[in-house]
Amino acid sequence: MELFDAGRYEDALTTFRGAEALVHAPPLLVMAARSCERLGRLLEARSLYQRVLDEPLAATASRAFQEAQAEAKTELAGLAPRIPTLEVALAGTAHGAVQLTLDGAPIAPATPVQRDPGEHTLVGVVPGRPPVTTRFRLDEGRKRYILLDLTPPSPEAPPTRSAPVASQGDRRKILFIGGGAAAGAGVIAGTVFTILALGKGGDAEDLRTSLRSDPALKGFCPRTTPPPVCTELRDTVDLQYTFINAALYSFIVGAAGAGTVIYALADRPAAPASRMQVVPHVGWGSAGLSVTGRF
């Protein structure tokens, strides 16, 4: 009891078992079960409590024996919902074609099994395939469901041939054509949107002149129930700014395309270095060296 009260449950369990082996007494088994509980060995604790309950006691049994049996019944009822449960389902194969082991012990698929809380290892083996191993943790009072995928691996696909890398000349051609098209489209679109914006600007100015000439409005639009001229002026100005923004973005695209063309023109491959040749030269009354090549 001193070992148990000091929290040395492994030593207490060994001592209680040794004492019970010398003198059989249900109170010793109850304390051994409580030590197992503290160590997380819930299945072993349940077995010890059940052993105390299953022992028939004589009517003349001591009060300590009878109290131990009553305590075992109460603690066993509280222990049962704390034991974790595991259920394993299989995917990719029939149940009869796989061997399941949990911590090295065989189990059946789709059948709940109880284990102590903590880390566990599940292994599924199908003949002719590599084993599938899963490591997981069971928490106290929880039920865990694991789907073990044993689908056979698909055959390896033949290696795909990579597309040939474009040469530097092809890349320059793509950049030149794409940049030229973007530059041309951007300039044309920008010019068109600019003309449309100027046209809408003229229309807006005509509407403002009409608004100023109206003696009832005196150049101002009322906030409530504006007349048609005010609504038309507002729509015209909004459309004008829309065309201005479209023209701006178009010119930006054109500028980017022009930059791409300039880059393609400037990115020329370096000319291969020519080999220089030095040849001795001997003539009538002269001698020297003849140097040929590109410089």
Side-chain angles (χ1 to χ4, degrees), residues 2-258:
E2 290 178 358
L3 293 172
F4 184 87
D5 294 337
R8 297 170 57 185
Y9 302 119
E10 192 70 53
D11 294 334
L13 176 61
T14 302
T15 305
F16 285 131
R17 285 186 179 279
E20 205 278 333
L22 295 175
V23 179
H24 172 65
L28 296 176
L29 292 178
V30 170
M31 292 307 304
R34 290 171 178 168
S35 300
C36 289
E37 278 195 73
R38 302 300 193 278
L39 294 170
R41 293 152 60 173
L42 305 186
L43 295 180
E44 188 175 355
R46 181 180 65 180
S47 176
L48 290 171
Y49 285 135
Q50 191 64 49
R51 179 178 168 187
V52 174
L53 285 177
D54 292 342
E55 181 177 349
L57 294 180
T60 58
S62 67
R63 181 178 179 182
F65 281 28
Q66 295 176 2
E67 290 178 351
Q69 200 168 60
E71 291 172 357
K73 182 177 182 181
T74 301
E75 298 195 26
L76 180 61
L79 176 66
R82 294 170 51 195
I83 300 177
T85 302
L86 172 69
E87 184 175 348
V88 181
L90 302 178
T93 186
H95 288 186
V98 61
Q99 298 175 354
L100 287 181
T101 58
L102 179 59
D103 300 326
I107 62 172
T111 303
V113 293
Q114 292 183 323
R115 289 294 185 273
D116 288 327
E119 301 294 332
H120 298 272
T121 302
L122 175 68
V123 179
V125 178
V126 177
R129 303 182 199 167
V132 177
T133 302
T134 301
R135 293 177 176 84
F136 60 96
R137 179 177 181 82
L138 288 178
D139 296 324
E140 187 174 310
R142 303 292 297 274
K143 180 176 181 179
R144 180 151 188 177
Y145 180 87
I146 293 180
L147 178 63
L148 195 63
D149 190 359
L150 297 171
T151 304
S154 57
E156 296 184 359
T160 56
R161 185 175 299 176
S162 58
V165 180
S167 64
Q168 187 174 6
D170 294 338
R171 184 171 61 87
R172 289 179 61 247
K173 185 183 298 184
I174 294 173
L175 291 175
F176 186 82
I177 295 175
V187 170
I188 294 174
T191 302
V192 172
F193 284 125
T194 300
I195 295 173
L196 293 175
L198 292 175
K200 289 300 177 182
D203 295 341
E205 188 60 33
D206 293 341
L207 291 172
R208 291 191 186 95
T209 302
S210 175
L211 187 64
R212 286 192 292 267
S213 62
D214 191 335
L217 298 176
K218 298 180 180 180
F220 296 97
C221 290
R223 294 185 178 179
T224 58
T225 62
V229 65
C230 293
T231 303
E232 185 179 358
L233 175 60
R234 182 189 60 195
D235 296 341
T236 302
V237 172
D238 290 343
L239 194 55
Q240 178 189 7
Y241 283 120
T242 300
F243 287 147
I244 290 175
N245 290 331
L248 177 62
Y249 291 134
S250 298
F251 284 128
I252 291 175
V253 172

Side-chain angles (χ1 to χ4, degrees), residues 278-283 285-291:
V278 181
V279 181
H281 174 73
V282 179
S286 63
L289 299 175
S290 174
V291 183

